[in-house]
C-alpha cells in the first residue's frame, strides 16, 4: 500500500513538473495563445450545458403550459447561442490560425537549433538520432495546449455542470457512471502505454525508410543505383523495412482491438442502465419529458466528458514521458565544446601560438579500441606539416580532435598555451579554415556556398575564386556567382564535377582567411597531377599561415617543413622529408612507391599534350 501511495505521489509530481515545463515552453513560443485559451475554455464549457437546459424548457412548455411567447423566446436564445458558438469557433480559428503556424515554426526552429548546435559526435550516435525523431514527432506545443491542456480543463468544467444536473435525478447515477468510466480509464491507459512504447519503433522506421527513400530518388545516388543495378536491391530493402513495421503495427492493432471490444461492451451496458432508469422515472411520472431529454443528454455528455477527462489526464501523465525524452534530448544536445569556455581568451591571444598535442588518446563512443593512442606533436606557428599514412591510420581522427568535433579521451590539445576545450568555440572556429574530404556543397548559389556565415567582401570573394582555379568557370556562367548549384530548386543550376566541387570548397577556405588551414584529404578524387596542382595553389597563398595537409598520398610533402607518419593510431615516424627518407622506413617505402606513379602520370600528360 505504501509503495502504491509513494508511486502515486511520484507520478503526480512528475506530471506536474512536466506540465509546468510545457507551460513555460508554450509561453516562450506563443504568449498570444494564453490570451485566447481562458475564453475558449469558458465558452466550450458553458455552451453544452445551455444547449441541454434550454431544449428541456422548450419541451416542457410545449407539453404543459404551451405558452408560445416563452417557446419563441427560448428558441431565439437557443439559436443565438448556436450562432455565437459557431462564430466564435470560426473567429478564433481565423485569428489564431496565423499564430498557430508561427508557434509551430518556432517549435521547429528550437528543435533544429538544438540539432545544429549539438556536438558532432551526436550525428554519429544512433540513439541520439532515434531520440530526435521521437521528440520531433511528439513534443508539439500546439498539441499540448489545444489538444491536451484546453480539452482537459474544459472537460473538468463540463463535468461539474453535468454532475449537478444528473445528481438531481439520483446521486447513485453519478457513482455508477464513475465506476463504469473507471474501467474505461484502465483500458485507455493501456492504449496510451502501447502508443508510447510503440514510438521507438515508429522513430526507427521513419529514419531508416527516409534514408532508403532518399537514396532511391536522390540525384547524388542516381548514377550508382543505375550503374550497379541497385534499384531492385533498394526496393527490397524498403519492402523489408515496411513489412517489419507492418508486423509490429499489426501486433499493436491486435491488442488494441481486444481493448476496443471490451470498451464497447462496457458502453453498451451503461447505456442500457442509464436509459432504462431515466425511462422508468418518466413513465412513473417522477420527471417530465423535457427532464427525461435533458437527463439523457446530460448522462451521454457526462460519459463523453468524463472519458475525455480521464483520457487527457492519462495524456498529461504520458506527456511526462515525452517531456523526459525532450529534456534528455536537450541534455544530449548540449554541446560539450561550449560548456567550459574562458570568454577572456581572444583571437589576439591565440595569434602566433603553436598547436600542441600532449599525450592524446581517443576512442570513439561505444568502442573499446583506441583510434589514437599517446599522440604527442607540436606544430609551430607558420609551420607546414604533412600528415601521411594509409587508410585507417588515424589521420582524420587527428583532425576531428583538432577541430573540436570530438574531445580527447585522455591528454589535451593546446593552442597558444591554452587548452582548446577552454577557448570560446566561436573564437576558436575563426582560427581554422578546413577543407574536408567529404566537403558539402549546398543547393544555393556559388556565392553563398563560399560565404556561408561570413560577411560579403566582393574583392576578397573574387580573389578566392581566382586562387581556387574557378575564375574562368564562374565567368562562363550566365549568372556568374549567383548561379545555383545543383538542379534541386533551379532547373538552370549547375552540376559541378568532383574537381570543380573541390575547388569551390577550397575557395571557401581561402575566403575565410584563417591563420590555420587544414586540408583533410580533399583531393582523394583527383588524379596525382591535379592533386599536386591543387596543393601548389594552396601553398602559394599560405604565406605565414600554419598549414596541415592530411593525405595517404604524398603530393603535399614537398611544400611542408615536417612530416608525421601515422599507423594504427600512433605516430611512427616524424621529421623532415630528407630525414625520413634516410631512415628507409614506412615513409621511404610510401614515397618511392608513389613517386613512380607521379612520374608515369606526368609522362602521360606530356605525351597527350
Amino acid at each position: 500500500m505504501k509503495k502504491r501511495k509513494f508511486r502515486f505521489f511520484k507520478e503526480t509530481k512528475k506530471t506536474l513538473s512536466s506540465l509546468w515545463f510545457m507551460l513555460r515552453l508554450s509561453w516562450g513560443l506563443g504568449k498570444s495563445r494564453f490570451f485566447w485559451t481562458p475564453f475558449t475554455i469558458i465558452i466550450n464549457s458553458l455552451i453544452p450545458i445551455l444547449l441541454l437546459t434550454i431544449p428541456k424548457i422548450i419541451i416542457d412548455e410545449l407539453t404543459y403550459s404551451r405558452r408560445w411567447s416563452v417557446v419563441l423566446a427560448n428558441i431565439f436564445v437557443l439559436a443565438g447561442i448556436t450562432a455565437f458558438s459557431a462564430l466564435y469557433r470560426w473567429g478564433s480559428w481565423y485569428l489564431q490560425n496565423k499564430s498557430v503556424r508561427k508557434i509551430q515554426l518556432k517549435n521547429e526552429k528550437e528543435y533544429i537549433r538544438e540539432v545544429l548546435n549539438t556536438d558532432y559526435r551526436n550525428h554519429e550516435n544512433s540513439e541520439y538520432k532515434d531520440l530526435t525523431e521521437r521528440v520531433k514527432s511528439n513534443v508539439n506545443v500546439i498539441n499540448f495546449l489545444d489538444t491536451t491542456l484546453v480539452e482537459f480543463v474544459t472537460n473538468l468544467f463540463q463535468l461539474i455542470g453535468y454532475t449537478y444536473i444528473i445528481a438531481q435525478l439520483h446521486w447513485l447515477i453519478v457513482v455508477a457512471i464513475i465506476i463504469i468510466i473507471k474501467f474505461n480509464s484502465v483500458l485507455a491507459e493501456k492504449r496510451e502505454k502501447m502508443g508510447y512504447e510503440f514510438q521507438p519503433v515508429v522513430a526507427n522506421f521513419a529514419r531508416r525508410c527516409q534514408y532508403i527513400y532518399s537514396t532511391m530518388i536522390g540525384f547524388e545516388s542516381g548514377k550508382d543505383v543505375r550503374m550497379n543495378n541497385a534499384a531492385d536491391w533498394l526496393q527490397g530493402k524498403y519492402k523489408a523495412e515496411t513489412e517489419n513495421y507492418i508486423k509490429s503495427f499489426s501486433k499493436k492493432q491486435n491488442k488494441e482491438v481486444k481493448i476496443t471490444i471490451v470498451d464497447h461492451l462496457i458502453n453498451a451496458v451503461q447505456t442500457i442502465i442509464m436509459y432504462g432508469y431515466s425511462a422508468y422515472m418518466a413513465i412513473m411520472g417522477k420527471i417530465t419529458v423535457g427532464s427525461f431529454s435533458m437527463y439523457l443528454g446530460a448522462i451521454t455528455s457526462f460519459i463523453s466528458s468524463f472519458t475525455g477527462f480521464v483520457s487527457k489526464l492519462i495524456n498529461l501523465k504520458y506527456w511526462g514521458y515525452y517531456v523526459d525524452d525532450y529534456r534528455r534530448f536537450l541534455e544530449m544536445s548540449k554541446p560539450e565544446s561550449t560548456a567550459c569556455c574562458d570568454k577572456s581568451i581572444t583571437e589576439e591571444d591565440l595569434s602566433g601560438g603553436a598547436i600542441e598535442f600532449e599525450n592524446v588518446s581517443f576512442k570513439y563512443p561505444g568502442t573499446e579500441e583506441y583510434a589514437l593512442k599517446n599522440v604527442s606533436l607540436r606544430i609551430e606557428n607558420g609551420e607546414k606539416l604533412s600528415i601521411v599514412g594509409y587508410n585507417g591510420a588515424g589521420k582524420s581522427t587527428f583532425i576531428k580532435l583538432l577541430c573540436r568535433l570530438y574531445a580527447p579521451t585522455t591528454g589535451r590539445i593546446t593552442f597558444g598555451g591554452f587548452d582548446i576545450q577552454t577557448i570560446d568555440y566561436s573564437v576558436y572556429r575563426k582560427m581554422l579554415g578546413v577543407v574536408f574530404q567529404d566537403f558539402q556543397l549546398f543547393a544555393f548559389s556559388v556565392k553563398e556556398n563560399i560565404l556561408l556565415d561570413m560577411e560579403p567582401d566582393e574583392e576578397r570573394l573574387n580573389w578566392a575564386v581566382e586562387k581556387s582555379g574557378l575564375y574562368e568557370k564562374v565567368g562562363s556562367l550566365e549568372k556568374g556567382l549567383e548561379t545555383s548549384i545543383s538542379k534541386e530548386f533551379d532547373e538552370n543550376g549547375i552540376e559541378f564535377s568532383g574537381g570543380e566541387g573541390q575547388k569551390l570548397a577550397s575557395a571557401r577556405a581561402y575566403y575565410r582567411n584563417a591563420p590555420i588551414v587544414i586540408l583533410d584529404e580533399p583531393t582523394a578524387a583527383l588524379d596525382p597531377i591535379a592533386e599536386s596542382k591543387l596543393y601548389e595553389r594552396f601553398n602559394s597563398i599560405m604565406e605565414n599561415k600554419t598549414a596541415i595537409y592530411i593525405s595517404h598520398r604524398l603530393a603535399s610533402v614537398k611544400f611542408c617543413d615536417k612530416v608525421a607518419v601515422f599507423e594504427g593510431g600512433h605516430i611512427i615516424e616524424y621529421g623532415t622529408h630528407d630525414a625520413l627518407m634516410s631512415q628507409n622506413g614506412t615513409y621511404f617505402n610510401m614515397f618511392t612507391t608513389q613517386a613512380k606513379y607521379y612520374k608515369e602520370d606526368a609522362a602521360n600528360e606530356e605525351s597527350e599534350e
Side-chain angles (χ1 to χ4, degrees):
M1 184 71 180
K2 286 184 178 179
K3 286 184 178 179
R4 188 179 297 175
K5 200 172 189 181
F6 175 76
R7 188 175 64 183
F8 171 78
F9 283 116
K10 186 178 179 181
E11 288 181 351
T12 302
K13 183 180 178 182
K14 181 178 180 179
T15 300
L16 291 174
S17 173
S18 302
L19 178 62
W20 179 242
F21 177 89
M22 287 304 300
L23 284 171
R24 285 188 289 116
L25 181 64
S26 304
W27 178 260
L29 293 176
K31 298 179 180 64
S32 62
R33 299 293 292 180
F34 286 83
F35 173 78
W36 291 101
T37 297
F39 291 104
T40 301
I41 290 172
I42 292 169
I43 290 169
N44 289 346
S45 302
L46 187 60
I47 285 178
I49 305 295
L50 294 173
L51 293 178
L52 278 176
T53 54
I54 294 174
K56 182 256 185 196
I57 296 171
I58 294 173
I59 292 171
D60 283 345
E61 190 65 34
L62 290 172
T63 305
Y64 301 107
S65 302
R66 298 185 179 183
R67 290 172 295 179
W68 176 242
S69 59
V70 175
V71 171
L72 192 61
N74 279 281
I75 288 174
F76 276 113
V77 170
L78 187 64
I81 291 171
T82 305
F84 173 78
S85 176
L87 283 171
Y88 179 81
R89 282 199 301 272
W90 179 85
S92 62
W93 172 85
Y94 179 80
L95 293 172
Q96 294 182 67
N97 195 37
K98 188 182 290 186
S99 72
V100 166
R101 189 58 189 145
K102 282 183 178 179
I103 292 169
Q104 287 173 334
L105 289 173
K106 283 184 181 179
N107 208 161
E108 290 173 11
K109 281 169 67 177
E110 288 293 312
Y111 163 82
I112 291 168
R113 181 176 61 82
E114 294 295 334
V115 174
L116 284 175
N117 291 332
T118 191
D119 286 333
Y120 178 78
R121 60 183 170 80
N122 281 328
H123 291 280
E124 297 182 343
N125 184 339
S126 60
E127 181 189 358
Y128 179 78
K129 290 178 180 178
D130 285 340
L131 184 62
T132 57
E133 189 65 37
R134 292 208 304 275
V135 166
K136 179 182 177 183
S137 303
N138 297 310
V139 183
N140 184 297
V141 166
I142 294 299
N143 285 345
F144 170 75
L145 278 178
D146 292 359
T147 308
T148 302
L149 186 62
V150 169
E151 290 186 17
F152 172 77
V153 178
T154 300
N155 284 327
L156 177 62
F157 287 165
Q158 287 176 347
L159 281 175
I160 295 171
Y162 296 140
T163 301
Y164 175 76
I165 293 172
I166 296 170
Q168 295 178 53
L169 180 62
H170 202 294
W171 65 270
L172 283 176
I173 296 290
V174 177
V175 175
I177 293 173
I178 291 173
I179 291 171
I180 291 170
I181 290 174
K182 173 61 179 175
F183 288 107
N184 285 339
S185 69
V186 173
L187 299 176
E189 180 155 12
K190 285 186 176 181
R191 190 181 288 114
E192 191 73 27
K193 184 179 180 182
M194 281 192 294
Y196 177 76
E197 290 175 347
F198 193 60
Q199 286 305 311
V201 177
V202 175
N204 185 266
F205 167 76
R207 197 163 59 81
R208 291 175 68 86
C209 274
Q210 182 58 44
Y211 170 77
I212 298 171
Y213 181 77
S214 299
T215 303
M216 287 192 293
I217 69 168
F219 179 81
E220 291 181 358
S221 57
K223 295 190 290 293
D224 283 317
V225 169
R226 286 156 180 78
M227 295 310 298
N228 292 289
N229 197 27
D232 291 340
W233 173 70
L234 284 169
Q235 288 183 70
K237 287 279 188 185
Y238 192 80
K239 182 181 178 183
E241 289 293 336
T242 53
E243 286 178 350
N244 287 335
Y245 174 75
I246 289 170
K247 285 179 183 176
S248 299
F249 183 74
S250 296
K251 288 180 182 178
K252 173 177 172 284
Q253 286 291 92
N254 291 337
K255 292 178 182 177
E256 286 187 341
V257 165
K258 296 175 183 177
I259 292 173
T260 302
I261 290 171
V262 175
D263 190 27
H264 286 318
L265 286 173
I266 291 172
N267 288 336
V269 170
Q270 74 181 11
T271 300
I272 292 170
I273 293 172
M274 304 308 167
Y275 273 65
Y277 182 76
S278 300
Y280 169 77
M281 296 293 285
I283 290 171
M284 296 299 294
K286 294 183 177 180
I287 61 173
T288 65
V289 176
S291 296
F292 173 77
S293 172
M294 181 184 69
Y295 287 136
L296 286 185
I299 289 169
T300 302
S301 298
F302 180 92
I303 292 169
S304 175
S305 294
F306 204 104
T307 302
F309 173 79
V310 172
S311 174
K312 296 308 172 186
L313 185 62
I314 294 169
N315 281 162
L316 285 174
K317 173 184 173 182
Y318 276 88
W319 264 104
Y321 296 114
Y322 294 132
V323 168
D324 282 348
D325 285 343
Y326 189 68
R327 283 171 167 160
R328 189 155 151 263
F329 163 72
L330 293 176
E331 187 61 33
M332 287 186 73
S333 298
K334 194 180 297 179
E336 292 180 7
S337 55
T338 60
C340 302
C341 293
D342 185 347
K343 298 288 186 181
S344 66
I345 303 173
T346 64
E347 293 177 51
E348 289 73 23
D349 295 325
L350 301 173
S351 180
I355 300 166
E356 187 165 6
F357 278 63
E358 299 176 2
N359 201 32
V360 171
S361 295
F362 175 76
K363 54 185 176 183
Y364 286 96
T367 64
E368 293 301 320
E369 185 178 345
Y370 279 93
L372 286 183
K373 187 68 174 175
N374 301 327
V375 172
S376 294
L377 178 67
R378 183 178 176 86
I379 308 169
E380 299 294 344
N381 177 51
E383 185 175 87
K384 310 296 185 288
L385 173 69
S386 180
I387 296 178
V388 301
Y390 296 110
N391 290 334
K395 305 184 302 297
S396 290
T397 300
F398 178 89
I399 292 304
K400 286 178 182 178
L401 294 178
L402 180 57
C403 293
R404 282 176 60 179
L405 298 178
Y406 288 96
T409 304
T410 60
R412 69 172 192 158
I413 306 167
T414 64
F415 180 23
F418 301 100
D419 187 328
I420 65 171
Q421 300 300 321
T422 66
I423 302 169
D424 184 271
Y425 194 51
S426 61
V427 173
Y428 185 72
R429 198 162 42 192
K430 290 179 182 177
M431 308 303 290
L432 305 178
V434 189
V435 182
F436 291 107
Q437 176 181 345
D438 53 350
F439 60 85
Q440 181 68 50
L441 299 184
F442 304 97
F444 303 111
S445 69
V446 174
K447 180 179 180 179
E448 288 174 302
N449 268 272
I450 295 173
L451 294 178
L452 297 182
D453 67 327
M454 295 175 282
E455 292 296 323
D457 182 325
E458 292 299 323
E459 185 177 345
R460 189 159 62 133
L461 182 62
N462 289 326
W463 171 82
V465 171
E466 183 179 0
K467 286 296 181 181
S468 70
L470 273 180
Y471 193 78
E472 290 185 10
K473 177 69 177 180
V474 172
S476 69
L477 301 174
E478 184 179 345
K479 293 185 179 179
L481 289 169
E482 300 300 331
T483 303
S484 295
I485 291 177
S486 92
K487 301 182 185 297
E488 185 77 23
F489 305 116
D490 185 353
E491 62 180 13
N492 297 316
I494 184 172
E495 299 291 347
F496 277 144
S497 66
E500 290 168 340
Q502 284 161 332
K503 290 176 181 178
L504 182 57
S506 301
R508 191 184 290 164
Y510 295 151
Y511 187 86
R512 184 169 287 276
N513 197 29
I516 301 171
V517 178
I518 301 169
L519 304 186
D520 183 12
E521 300 202 64
T523 60
L526 300 181
D527 62 76
I529 300 302
E531 178 185 41
S532 183
K533 289 180 178 179
L534 185 143
Y535 280 123
E536 284 177 5
R537 282 196 297 271
F538 259 98
N539 190 61
S540 68
I541 64 167
M542 285 300 100
E543 299 173 344
N544 296 322
K545 298 180 188 295
T546 302
I548 304 171
Y549 302 102
I550 315 296
S551 182
H552 62 279
R553 300 193 306 205
L554 306 178
S556 62
V557 171
K558 62 183 179 180
F559 308 113
C560 293
D561 304 305
K562 298 284 180 59
V563 180
V565 183
F566 276 66
E567 186 176 290
H570 298 270
I571 296 178
I572 59 169
E573 295 177 6
Y574 176 74
T576 64
H577 166 73
D578 292 337
L580 295 184
M581 288 296 290
S582 67
Q583 293 178 15
N584 290 329
T586 300
Y587 178 77
F588 173 83
N589 292 330
M590 289 180 69
F591 190 86
T592 53
T593 301
Q594 291 185 23
K596 66 179 182 179
Y597 292 111
Y598 281 86
K599 291 176 182 177
E600 289 173 3
D601 284 340
N604 291 336
E605 191 176 79
E606 288 176 5
S607 64
E608 288 174 3
E609 291 175 355

